[in-house]
Amino acid sequence: MRSTDNAVAQWHAQKQLRHSPAWKLLQGASWAVAFLRAEFTATRQRVPLEIFHADLADFMKELRGENLSLNEAWQASHYADSWVRSQFLARPMVDGKFLYEPTAGTARVLALLDTLTGQRTNLNSSRLSTLLTSIETLSFQSDPDPDTRIAALEAEIAERENEITALRNGGTPTVLSDDSALAATRSILDLAASLPADFKRMRDGVERMLHTIRQEIMESSVTKGVAMGQVLAGDKALRGTVEGETFQGFTEFLNDPVQQARFRQSVNEVLERDFTDQLSSEERGNLASLVREMRRQAADVHTIYGRLSESLHAYVQSAEFRESVLLRKAIHAAEQAVAKASLGSRTAVVPPLLYSPNFETLAGLGIFNPEDHVPPPKLAAPPALSDADIHRTPSTPAPDMETLHAAVELARQSRNGSATLADVYTSLPGELQHLNSIRGLIMAARSSGSSFDPLRTQTVNFTQIDGTTRTAEVPLFTFTKDPAP
């Protein structure tokens, strides 16, 4: 029965696929797919409207020259409009200009056709090595036994130490051959080619949520709490998908400057290798623009999230406005009723009934007995906090200008009346060698009329609040007279 259930599930999935835009694109004209494959590449995911129409018009002219039957009444813009209606293409507006880009389904179709029509095999030593490494990493990261993980780490450390010892003793490092390195590079590019489709599907999911909340704003069909709950539930479900996890992982990567620096350095080093000369110009461009393109696509998703937040804010404000109008009308009606009531009349003003239950017996009223009241338990006392529990965020101290002026004077006296900014900074104690001291010395130099050479620089090292040391290049300032207090 399990195989039967699986077959039924696959059949339903196949029926849904046959109604999808991706399937319709595969069933459509082959020349349209060929044009989209040529127009959109990994480094060219968006094409301006005018350029797209011009390229399509030139391509259609070539097709008509080969006696291909096309709709004579249709121009390039008509075909482009039909592709947008069929959800083959999207036409967003960016910076006031319309652009064309493939939808998520189209991006997957184009990537599939690239693998089917390419001459390279997907099975090579690099992929096998990646598979083995991924399995070992998965086994290590999912192992809850501390002893096993310690043994694995110690084995890896021993292997690395043996390799370091061999290299220090004059051993030759094992380097991939040009063919293997080339295959590994193309495997990376194939892996990266699937990421744009994941970002597009994530963006489309947020777009659908945005459309839903805007529709509810117009119809006012649900309450604020229900609308907010629907959006939060939809966002949670969206982030739980494969595309959502991909987007979340890349967002974490963007928030880690160390990982970005390591990635960029690795890409630059790979592009400097000799074997990359065998890559095509398009492949080299794809490798060089990996982070930039993914950053742009992630920015699109964040932009739509911003529009979703704005729509939610507008919805809440509009609902509160409607509630305040109803409340003011009710208060105004009550004031008019009180004003019309006679002061000498014994007839009391009957307030509007919030509810009007009908009781058949007196027992139905459920008279409250105060003795039956059980007070709730007291809340736990708040935890006691001491001064040791208060942690302040470290920050770079402000420049001690009095100490800096004294250091300038001392450096000038020890150097025959002339000292550079680097000389003064080096003479400072270690706790003052931070970024704000450099800024204070620059301010003192500019206010004292010291000589300034913008074409020459000096290097000074300063310590950050996390204890790391960084290097700054500052213009050459020379203190020749007393700085202004």
Side-chain angles (χ1 to χ4, degrees):
M1 290 297 294
R2 289 184 178 180
S3 60
T4 303
D5 295 340
N6 187 26
V8 172
Q10 294 294 338
W11 176 53
H12 287 297
Q14 187 72 11
K15 288 196 300 182
Q16 292 180 355
L17 177 62
R18 293 179 68 89
H19 292 88
S20 66
W23 185 273
K24 295 177 182 178
L25 177 61
L26 289 172
Q27 296 293 318
S30 57
W31 67 265
V33 179
F35 175 75
L36 295 179
R37 290 183 64 188
E39 196 72 4
F40 298 106
T41 63
T43 57
R44 192 188 186 196
Q45 285 290 310
R46 286 179 170 176
V47 179
L49 182 142
E50 295 80 5
I51 297 178
F52 186 87
H53 288 173
D55 293 344
L56 182 55
D58 294 339
F59 183 61
M60 291 172 58
K61 188 181 300 182
E62 294 290 336
L63 295 178
R64 289 191 174 100
E66 296 183 5
N67 297 323
L68 185 67
S69 58
L70 297 175
N71 191 336
E72 296 296 333
W74 275 29
Q75 302 297 326
S77 59
H78 296 94
Y79 279 103
D81 291 339
S82 68
W83 293 342
V84 172
R85 289 193 300 270
S86 301
Q87 298 181 17
F88 300 160
L89 295 177
R91 189 163 49 197
M93 176 179 285
V94 180
D95 297 333
K97 296 182 179 180
F98 282 106
L99 306 171
Y100 284 105
E101 64 176 7
T103 59
T106 301
R108 292 185 180 274
V109 168
L110 299 183
L112 173 64
L113 293 177
D114 288 339
T115 59
L116 293 176
T117 58
Q119 300 297 323
R120 302 193 310 268
T121 176
N122 287 333
L123 184 62
N124 50 50
S125 60
S126 172
R127 295 213 170 199
L128 294 176
S129 177
T130 302
L131 176 63
L132 177 60
T133 304
S134 299
I135 290 295
E136 291 178 344
T137 303
L138 176 61
S139 174
F140 175 78
Q141 294 180 347
S142 60
D143 188 0
D145 187 3
D147 295 334
T148 307
R149 302 189 77 165
I150 291 174
L153 291 172
E154 289 178 345
E156 184 178 356
I157 292 173
E159 182 181 355
R160 299 297 185 191
E161 289 179 346
N162 292 335
E163 184 177 355
I164 292 173
T165 303
L167 293 175
R168 285 177 176 172
N169 293 334
T172 303
T174 303
V175 181
L176 288 176
S177 64
D178 287 353
D179 293 338
S180 298
L182 199 63
T185 304
R186 284 171 172 158
S187 298
I188 295 172
L189 292 175
D190 290 341
L191 180 63
S194 63
L195 292 178
D198 289 339
F199 281 104
K200 290 179 186 294
R201 294 184 66 175
M202 182 71 181
R203 185 194 62 189
D204 294 342
V206 183
E207 282 279 15
R208 286 192 293 270
M209 282 198 300
L210 178 62
H211 176 72
T212 301
I213 188 62
R214 285 180 172 173
Q215 207 168 26
E216 291 173 351
I217 291 174
M218 299 298 296
E219 297 176 358
S220 300
S221 57
V222 296
T223 61
K224 290 182 294 184
V226 173
M228 298 283 275
Q230 290 176 350
V231 172
L232 293 176
D235 181 62
K236 182 179 180 180
L238 183 63
R239 292 181 181 271
T241 61
V242 176
E243 295 80 14
E245 293 176 354
T246 302
F247 175 73
Q248 182 178 358
F250 185 70
T251 302
E252 294 174 355
F253 168 76
L254 289 181
N255 293 332
D256 191 341
V258 177
Q259 289 190 25
Q260 289 193 62
R262 289 170 52 191
F263 186 88
R264 294 180 186 278
Q265 181 180 359
S266 299
V267 170
N268 293 333
E269 290 175 353
V270 168
L271 290 174
E272 293 176 357
R273 301 288 190 264
D274 294 336
F275 70 86
T276 56
D277 294 338
Q278 303 179 43
L279 295 172
S280 65
S281 58
E282 181 179 351
E283 290 173 331
R284 289 177 59 86
N286 294 346
L287 186 60
S289 61
L290 274 178
V291 176
R292 184 177 68 249
E293 181 61 26
M294 288 189 293
R295 184 187 292 272
R296 181 192 65 77
Q297 294 173 6
D300 292 343
V301 179
H302 285 295
T303 300
I304 298 174
Y305 265 116
R307 286 158 49 193
L308 177 63
S309 176
E310 292 173 359
S311 297
L312 279 173
H313 182 66
Y315 178 72
V316 171
Q317 284 189 330
S318 62
E320 290 179 348
F321 175 74
R322 289 192 300 270
E323 292 173 359
S324 64
V325 171
L326 293 176
L327 179 61
R328 285 198 299 270
K329 288 182 179 180
I331 293 175
H332 183 63
E335 290 175 345
Q336 287 183 335
V338 172
K340 292 179 181 179
S342 175
L343 295 178
S345 175
R346 295 183 178 180
T347 304
V349 178
V350 180
L353 296 178
L354 299 179
Y355 57 89
S356 181
N358 295 321
F359 301 100
E360 295 181 357
T361 65
L362 188 61
L365 292 175
I367 299 177
F368 174 70
N369 184 1
E371 296 181 355
D372 296 336
H373 174 67
V374 178
K378 293 184 178 181
L379 296 176
L385 299 178
S386 63
D387 294 339
D389 297 318
I390 302 176
H391 301 280
R392 299 185 181 275
T393 302
S395 61
T396 303
D400 187 349
M401 298 305 297
E402 183 177 354
T403 304
L404 295 180
H405 292 325
V408 170
E409 180 62 25
L410 184 62
R412 288 178 56 251
Q413 292 177 1
S414 61
R415 289 173 174 79
N416 297 325
S418 176
T420 64
L421 186 146
D423 296 333
V424 178
Y425 180 80
T426 305
S427 65
L428 294 174
E431 64 272 11
L432 295 182
Q433 291 186 357
H434 51 70
L435 182 60
N436 284 340
S437 292
I438 299 176
R439 293 173 176 168
L441 288 174
I442 293 176
M443 293 171 55
R446 296 181 68 90
S447 61
S448 64
S450 301
S451 63
F452 167 60
D453 188 352
L455 301 180
R456 299 173 61 189
T457 60
Q458 282 188 315
T459 301
V460 291
N461 298 323
F462 64 93
T463 304
Q464 299 190 123
I465 56 176
D466 58 359
T468 59
T469 302
R470 299 191 64 180
T471 302
E473 294 286 340
V474 297
L476 178 60
F477 285 97
T478 302
F479 293 96
T480 56
K481 60 181 180 179
D482 294 336

